[in-house]
Amino acid sequence: IGGASVYRALLDACAVAHVTWIDGEFPADTWFPNLDEQADWVLAEEEGPYVSGALSYSYRTYRRRSGLG
């Protein structure tokens, strides 16, 4: 739902991001930004990994380091 334009428009207004990480590679033309690679975000919590069939995934909560961007 949404795509890159929604991510760009709203991520700067967020102080917390709840992200589901799926372990795998899938064909796509849009990705959510990798917050691990952005200096203003820190991984606060992680749950998992969980497995469903052949799929492995985890839930990650990121917090912006210095309030809102």
Side-chain angles (χ1 to χ4, degrees):
I1 299 173
S5 62
V6 173
Y7 301 152
R8 280 192 304 272
L10 298 177
L11 190 57
D12 283 344
C14 296
V16 177
H18 300 280
V19 180
T20 303
W21 275 76
I22 300 173
D23 185 22
E25 293 186 25
F26 306 92
D29 61 2
T30 303
W31 293 266
F32 189 81
N34 185 342
L35 299 181
D36 290 327
E37 297 174 351
Q38 301 203 14
D40 57 335
W41 289 93
V42 63
L43 178 61
E45 298 176 40
E46 184 171 15
E47 295 180 31
Y50 303 106
V51 176
S52 178
L55 187 67
S56 176
Y57 60 97
S58 62
Y59 299 115
R60 296 182 181 181
T61 300
Y62 292 88
R63 297 194 190 284
R64 190 176 296 278
R65 289 183 191 270
S66 58
L68 296 179

XYZ file of all heavy atoms in Angstrom:
541
model
N 0.848 -1.171 0.000
C 0.000 0.000 0.000
C 0.893 1.232 0.000
O 1.830 1.321 0.777
C -0.910 0.024 1.242
C -1.803 -1.197 1.238
C -1.700 1.299 1.298
C -2.611 -1.359 2.507
N 0.613 2.188 -0.873
C 1.330 3.465 -0.846
C 2.495 3.501 -1.798
O 2.342 3.840 -2.934
N 3.650 3.106 -1.334
C 4.832 3.151 -2.157
C 5.790 4.239 -1.725
O 5.648 4.848 -0.660
N 6.773 4.466 -2.559
C 7.870 5.371 -2.218
C 7.412 6.780 -1.894
O 7.950 7.419 -0.986
C 8.888 5.395 -3.360
N 6.419 7.295 -2.579
C 5.995 8.675 -2.327
C 5.391 8.814 -0.930
O 5.580 9.828 -0.259
C 4.997 9.146 -3.381
O 3.826 8.361 -3.362
N 4.703 7.802 -0.458
C 4.137 7.837 0.892
C 5.263 7.766 1.921
O 5.262 8.504 2.906
C 3.121 6.696 1.103
C 2.666 6.626 2.550
C 1.938 6.878 0.180
N 6.234 6.892 1.702
C 7.372 6.796 2.615
C 8.081 8.135 2.731
O 8.383 8.605 3.819
C 8.383 5.745 2.151
C 7.854 4.347 2.008
C 8.430 3.470 1.100
C 6.787 3.876 2.770
C 7.973 2.169 0.962
C 6.321 2.588 2.633
C 6.925 1.740 1.724
O 6.475 0.464 1.584
N 8.389 8.741 1.595
C 9.090 10.031 1.590
C 8.275 11.120 2.280
O 8.804 11.939 3.018
C 9.417 10.460 0.159
C 10.640 9.772 -0.415
C 11.090 10.437 -1.703
N 10.039 10.495 -2.719
C 9.779 9.550 -3.616
N 10.507 8.449 -3.639
N 8.833 9.697 -4.505
N 6.985 11.136 2.051
C 6.130 12.200 2.593
C 5.949 12.096 4.103
O 5.814 13.112 4.779
C 4.767 12.179 1.912
N 5.945 10.900 4.646
C 5.567 10.730 6.048
C 6.689 10.339 6.996
O 6.583 10.585 8.197
C 4.444 9.708 6.156
C 3.154 10.104 5.442
C 2.127 8.994 5.535
C 2.600 11.394 6.006
N 7.769 9.758 6.519
C 8.803 9.271 7.425
C 9.430 10.396 8.246
O 9.716 10.226 9.431
C 9.883 8.508 6.661
C 10.890 7.756 7.535
C 10.181 6.772 8.460
C 11.908 7.040 6.670
N 9.606 11.566 7.662
C 10.180 12.689 8.406
C 9.267 13.176 9.533
O 9.722 13.876 10.430
C 10.495 13.858 7.468
C 11.760 13.613 6.659
O 12.545 12.711 7.033
O 11.962 14.307 5.654
N 8.006 12.821 9.497
C 7.062 13.225 10.542
C 6.945 12.173 11.643
O 6.157 12.342 12.568
C 5.692 13.478 9.925
N 7.733 11.114 11.567
C 7.645 10.016 12.533
C 8.786 10.055 13.538
O 9.929 10.339 13.184
C 7.700 8.681 11.802
S 6.312 8.391 10.710
N 8.463 9.746 14.775
C 9.473 9.586 15.815
C 9.736 8.110 16.088
O 10.780 7.745 16.613
C 9.031 10.277 17.092
N 8.776 7.251 15.736
C 8.874 5.804 15.935
C 8.417 5.121 14.655
O 7.459 5.561 14.016
C 7.983 5.344 17.112
C 8.035 3.839 17.281
C 8.386 6.040 18.401
N 9.105 4.041 14.289
C 8.703 3.250 13.124
C 8.663 1.780 13.526
O 9.626 1.264 14.103
C 9.676 3.459 11.966
N 7.552 1.124 13.251
C 7.396 -0.309 13.503
C 7.524 -0.999 12.153
O 6.701 -0.786 11.262
C 6.034 -0.605 14.135
C 5.833 0.094 15.433
N 6.369 -0.382 16.616
C 5.181 1.233 15.743
C 6.031 0.443 17.590
N 5.315 1.430 17.087
N 8.563 -1.822 12.008
C 8.906 -2.394 10.711
C 8.925 -3.912 10.815
O 9.511 -4.469 11.741
C 10.291 -1.885 10.239
C 10.662 -2.477 8.889
C 10.317 -0.360 10.181
N 8.287 -4.583 9.861
C 8.380 -6.035 9.741
C 9.475 -6.351 8.746
O 9.412 -5.927 7.593
C 7.052 -6.644 9.266
O 6.009 -6.282 10.175
C 7.147 -8.162 9.166
N 10.509 -7.047 9.198
C 11.612 -7.466 8.328
C 11.356 -8.899 7.889
O 11.188 -9.785 8.724
C 12.932 -7.418 9.095
C 13.566 -6.075 9.096
C 13.189 -4.991 9.839
C 14.675 -5.655 8.321
N 14.003 -3.928 9.566
C 14.929 -4.308 8.636
C 15.487 -6.284 7.379
C 15.958 -3.582 8.052
C 16.508 -5.561 6.802
C 16.731 -4.240 7.134
N 11.354 -9.129 6.601
C 11.169 -10.469 6.049
C 12.498 -10.922 5.479
O 13.121 -10.208 4.688
C 10.075 -10.475 4.964
C 8.755 -10.005 5.569
C 9.953 -11.873 4.353
C 7.655 -9.812 4.556
N 12.961 -12.092 5.917
C 14.232 -12.629 5.464
C 14.036 -13.295 4.109
O 13.530 -14.404 4.026
C 14.781 -13.628 6.483
C 16.167 -14.132 6.117
O 16.874 -13.444 5.354
O 16.539 -15.200 6.623
N 14.385 -12.582 3.058
C 14.240 -13.117 1.712
C 14.370 -12.015 0.685
O 14.414 -10.830 1.030
N 14.467 -12.412 -0.549
C 14.516 -11.452 -1.649
C 13.299 -11.682 -2.531
O 12.987 -12.820 -2.885
C 15.805 -11.616 -2.439
C 17.035 -11.237 -1.621
C 18.305 -11.257 -2.457
O 18.218 -11.095 -3.690
O 19.373 -11.439 -1.857
N 12.627 -10.579 -2.871
C 11.400 -10.656 -3.638
C 11.436 -9.597 -4.734
O 11.970 -8.511 -4.524
C 10.185 -10.423 -2.723
C 10.151 -11.351 -1.534
C 10.724 -10.977 -0.329
C 9.582 -12.594 -1.642
C 10.719 -11.829 0.767
C 9.562 -13.458 -0.554
C 10.131 -13.076 0.654
N 10.842 -9.870 -5.891
C 10.810 -8.846 -6.938
C 9.930 -7.678 -6.493
O 8.826 -7.877 -5.996
C 10.215 -9.580 -8.135
C 9.495 -10.758 -7.577
C 10.186 -11.109 -6.295
N 10.475 -6.470 -6.599
C 9.732 -5.274 -6.210
C 10.374 -4.062 -6.865
O 11.523 -4.114 -7.291
C 9.742 -5.116 -4.696
N 9.637 -2.975 -6.923
C 10.200 -1.746 -7.487
C 10.273 -0.637 -6.448
O 10.756 0.454 -6.723
C 9.419 -1.287 -8.708
C 7.968 -0.970 -8.403
O 7.556 -1.072 -7.220
O 7.237 -0.628 -9.329
N 9.816 -0.907 -5.210
C 9.834 0.092 -4.144
C 10.139 -0.607 -2.828
O 9.601 -1.671 -2.553
C 8.470 0.805 -4.038
O 8.157 1.386 -5.292
C 8.498 1.888 -2.986
N 11.018 0.011 -2.013
C 11.377 -0.539 -0.723
C 11.266 0.539 0.323
O 11.516 1.715 0.053
C 12.822 -1.057 -0.728
C 13.033 -2.234 -1.609
C 12.995 -3.554 -1.238
C 13.314 -2.227 -3.003
N 13.224 -4.362 -2.313
C 13.433 -3.557 -3.430
C 13.470 -1.229 -3.955
C 13.708 -3.919 -4.728
C 13.742 -1.588 -5.259
C 13.862 -2.916 -5.627
N 10.930 0.140 1.519
C 10.968 1.056 2.652
C 12.435 1.336 2.946
O 13.267 0.442 2.861
C 10.291 0.408 3.865
C 10.082 1.339 5.008
C 9.010 2.213 5.011
C 10.967 1.357 6.075
C 8.815 3.089 6.070
C 10.780 2.224 7.138
C 9.702 3.088 7.132
N 12.792 2.548 3.325
C 14.190 2.851 3.617
C 14.749 1.945 4.714
O 14.057 1.618 5.678
C 14.154 4.301 4.102
C 12.882 4.858 3.567
C 11.922 3.722 3.489
N 16.002 1.529 4.573
C 16.660 0.707 5.579
C 17.099 1.628 6.718
O 18.101 2.335 6.604
C 17.863 -0.019 4.979
C 18.501 -0.967 5.961
O 18.288 -0.876 7.167
N 19.283 -1.893 5.459
N 16.369 1.618 7.811
C 16.639 2.528 8.915
C 17.940 2.184 9.632
O 18.512 3.038 10.309
C 15.456 2.568 9.879
C 14.143 3.052 9.265
C 13.044 3.074 10.320
C 14.291 4.409 8.603
N 18.440 0.955 9.474
C 19.740 0.597 10.039
C 20.861 1.412 9.397
O 21.914 1.591 9.990
C 20.037 -0.885 9.840
C 19.161 -1.773 10.697
O 18.801 -1.358 11.814
O 18.834 -2.880 10.250
N 20.647 1.894 8.196
C 21.660 2.645 7.459
C 21.511 4.162 7.614
O 22.261 4.911 7.010
C 21.600 2.283 5.977
C 21.915 0.832 5.705
C 21.722 0.441 4.264
O 21.175 1.251 3.478
O 22.106 -0.692 3.915
N 20.554 4.601 8.422
C 20.301 6.028 8.587
C 20.706 6.453 9.991
O 20.216 5.917 10.990
C 18.827 6.330 8.309
C 18.469 5.906 6.898
C 17.278 6.625 6.360
O 16.838 7.622 6.908
N 16.765 6.125 5.268
N 21.607 7.436 10.060
C 22.198 7.853 11.332
C 21.181 8.396 12.331
O 21.407 8.332 13.536
C 23.277 8.902 11.079
N 20.061 8.914 11.858
C 19.097 9.513 12.788
C 18.101 8.502 13.359
O 17.215 8.884 14.115
C 18.370 10.694 12.137
C 17.647 10.332 10.860
O 18.050 9.352 10.203
O 16.690 11.031 10.504
N 18.247 7.218 13.054
C 17.364 6.188 13.599
C 18.184 5.155 14.377
O 19.296 4.815 13.999
C 16.600 5.475 12.487
C 15.553 6.326 11.853
C 15.681 7.112 10.747
C 14.213 6.504 12.297
N 14.510 7.754 10.481
C 13.582 7.404 11.412
C 13.475 5.996 13.359
C 12.255 7.799 11.560
C 12.151 6.387 13.505
C 11.557 7.272 12.614
N 17.608 4.647 15.451
C 18.249 3.607 16.247
C 17.253 2.462 16.460
O 16.057 2.700 16.666
C 18.767 4.168 17.593
C 17.626 4.680 18.451
C 19.577 3.137 18.341
N 17.759 1.228 16.370
C 16.924 0.061 16.645
C 16.684 -0.009 18.143
O 17.624 -0.134 18.938
C 17.618 -1.213 16.155
C 16.892 -2.526 16.412
C 15.530 -2.560 15.714
C 17.757 -3.696 15.973
N 15.433 0.095 18.562
C 15.081 0.111 19.985
C 14.674 -1.267 20.498
O 14.981 -1.625 21.625
C 13.956 1.113 20.232
N 13.963 -2.035 19.666
C 13.468 -3.352 20.081
C 13.408 -4.262 18.856
O 13.210 -3.791 17.735
C 12.062 -3.255 20.654
C 11.931 -2.416 21.898
C 10.484 -2.298 22.347
O 9.740 -3.294 22.288
O 10.101 -1.193 22.745
N 13.551 -5.551 19.112
C 13.376 -6.539 18.042
C 12.733 -7.787 18.625
O 13.130 -8.248 19.696
C 14.713 -6.887 17.394
C 14.573 -7.837 16.225
C 15.852 -8.020 15.439
O 16.937 -7.639 15.934
O 15.764 -8.546 14.326
N 11.748 -8.319 17.922
C 11.073 -9.559 18.308
C 11.262 -10.564 17.189
O 11.090 -10.241 16.025
C 9.576 -9.332 18.501
C 9.216 -8.411 19.635
C 7.711 -8.242 19.750
O 6.966 -9.195 19.414
O 7.277 -7.163 20.154
N 11.572 -11.796 17.560
C 11.774 -12.827 16.556
C 13.246 -13.196 16.480
O 14.025 -12.800 17.331
N 13.587 -13.982 15.510
C 12.799 -14.253 14.309
C 11.713 -15.303 14.550
O 11.817 -16.130 15.437
C 13.841 -14.780 13.325
C 14.903 -15.376 14.177
C 14.931 -14.558 15.434
N 10.681 -15.172 13.749
C 9.582 -16.128 13.719
C 9.615 -16.837 12.378
O 10.135 -16.309 11.409
C 8.238 -15.415 13.893
C 8.153 -14.613 15.166
C 8.219 -13.230 15.143
C 7.999 -15.249 16.394
C 8.144 -12.482 16.322
C 7.916 -14.513 17.574
C 7.988 -13.137 17.523
O 7.912 -12.412 18.676
N 9.039 -18.025 12.340
C 9.004 -18.793 11.103
C 7.573 -19.202 10.815
O 6.854 -19.662 11.705
C 9.914 -20.043 11.197
C 9.798 -20.880 9.940
C 11.354 -19.629 11.445
N 7.162 -18.993 9.567
C 5.859 -19.445 9.089
C 6.097 -20.149 7.758
O 6.422 -19.499 6.760
C 4.911 -18.259 8.907
O 3.666 -18.693 8.399
N 5.992 -21.459 7.771
C 6.330 -22.211 6.567
C 7.805 -22.004 6.250
O 8.665 -22.183 7.096
N 8.104 -21.568 5.034
C 9.484 -21.317 4.621
C 9.900 -19.865 4.863
O 11.000 -19.472 4.518
C 9.645 -21.664 3.144
N 9.009 -19.065 5.456
C 9.246 -17.637 5.636
C 9.732 -17.330 7.051
O 9.138 -17.769 8.026
C 7.942 -16.881 5.367
C 8.009 -15.374 5.349
C 8.822 -14.897 4.158
C 6.604 -14.803 5.273
N 10.823 -16.568 7.147
C 11.344 -16.107 8.429
C 11.197 -14.595 8.488
O 11.493 -13.896 7.524
C 12.819 -16.500 8.553
O 13.378 -15.981 9.736
N 10.731 -14.078 9.638
C 10.508 -12.639 9.751
C 10.707 -12.192 11.194
O 10.740 -12.997 12.119
C 9.100 -12.267 9.273
C 8.001 -12.931 10.068
C 7.383 -12.261 11.107
C 7.584 -14.226 9.777
C 6.376 -12.871 11.848
C 6.582 -14.842 10.513
C 5.987 -14.160 11.548
O 5.008 -14.758 12.281
N 10.889 -10.886 11.378
C 10.999 -10.306 12.708
C 10.320 -8.950 12.714
O 10.088 -8.349 11.663
C 12.468 -10.176 13.133
O 13.166 -9.321 12.258
N 9.993 -8.502 13.919
C 9.389 -7.187 14.104
C 10.437 -6.283 14.751
O 11.029 -6.646 15.768
C 8.153 -7.265 15.003
C 7.054 -8.135 14.455
C 6.675 -9.295 15.115
C 6.397 -7.790 13.279
C 5.659 -10.098 14.618
C 5.381 -8.589 12.779
C 5.019 -9.740 13.449
O 4.028 -10.528 12.952
N 10.646 -5.105 14.172
C 11.633 -4.167 14.701
C 10.974 -2.819 14.980
O 10.162 -2.346 14.197
C 12.773 -3.967 13.711
C 13.576 -5.228 13.472
C 14.710 -4.984 12.527
N 15.454 -6.204 12.283
C 16.510 -6.276 11.502
N 16.962 -5.191 10.900
N 17.133 -7.425 11.332
N 11.356 -2.239 16.112
C 10.899 -0.892 16.456
C 12.114 0.026 16.430
O 13.117 -0.245 17.101
C 10.263 -0.861 17.855
O 9.136 -1.752 17.861
C 9.791 0.546 18.211
N 12.011 1.084 15.644
C 13.069 2.084 15.531
C 12.581 3.378 16.156
O 11.411 3.717 16.058
C 13.407 2.342 14.060
C 14.061 1.172 13.381
C 13.304 0.178 12.782
C 15.447 1.064 13.327
C 13.895 -0.903 12.155
C 16.049 -0.010 12.701
C 15.272 -1.000 12.115
O 15.866 -2.060 11.498
N 13.508 4.104 16.763
C 13.203 5.415 17.330
C 14.176 6.429 16.744
O 15.362 6.136 16.601
C 13.325 5.404 18.845
C 12.334 4.453 19.485
C 12.195 4.648 20.968
N 11.414 3.569 21.567
C 10.113 3.432 21.495
N 9.407 4.321 20.842
N 9.494 2.429 22.075
N 13.627 7.595 16.420
C 14.468 8.667 15.906
C 15.339 9.177 17.047
O 14.878 9.399 18.151
C 13.606 9.805 15.343
C 14.404 10.831 14.592
C 13.514 11.883 13.973
N 12.612 11.375 12.961
C 12.975 11.160 11.684
N 14.186 11.409 11.284
N 12.079 10.717 10.828
N 16.619 9.376 16.781
C 17.577 9.788 17.815
C 17.295 11.164 18.385
O 17.444 11.395 19.558
C 18.995 9.783 17.259
C 19.549 8.423 16.996
C 20.978 8.530 16.527
N 21.467 7.258 16.031
C 22.067 6.342 16.767
N 22.271 6.581 18.051
N 22.487 5.212 16.245
N 16.914 12.113 17.525
C 16.803 13.497 17.989
C 15.421 14.084 17.735
O 15.291 15.173 17.201
C 17.852 14.358 17.291
O 17.663 14.280 15.878
N 14.378 13.348 18.118
C 13.015 13.864 17.904
C 12.632 13.792 16.441
O 13.163 12.994 15.694
N 11.719 14.627 16.032
C 11.238 14.599 14.657
C 12.203 15.322 13.735
O 12.877 16.245 14.115
C 9.842 15.251 14.565
C 8.751 14.521 15.328
C 7.438 15.261 15.186
C 8.589 13.100 14.851
N 12.230 14.821 12.456
C 13.127 15.388 11.448
C 12.554 16.618 10.932
O 12.876 17.620 10.584
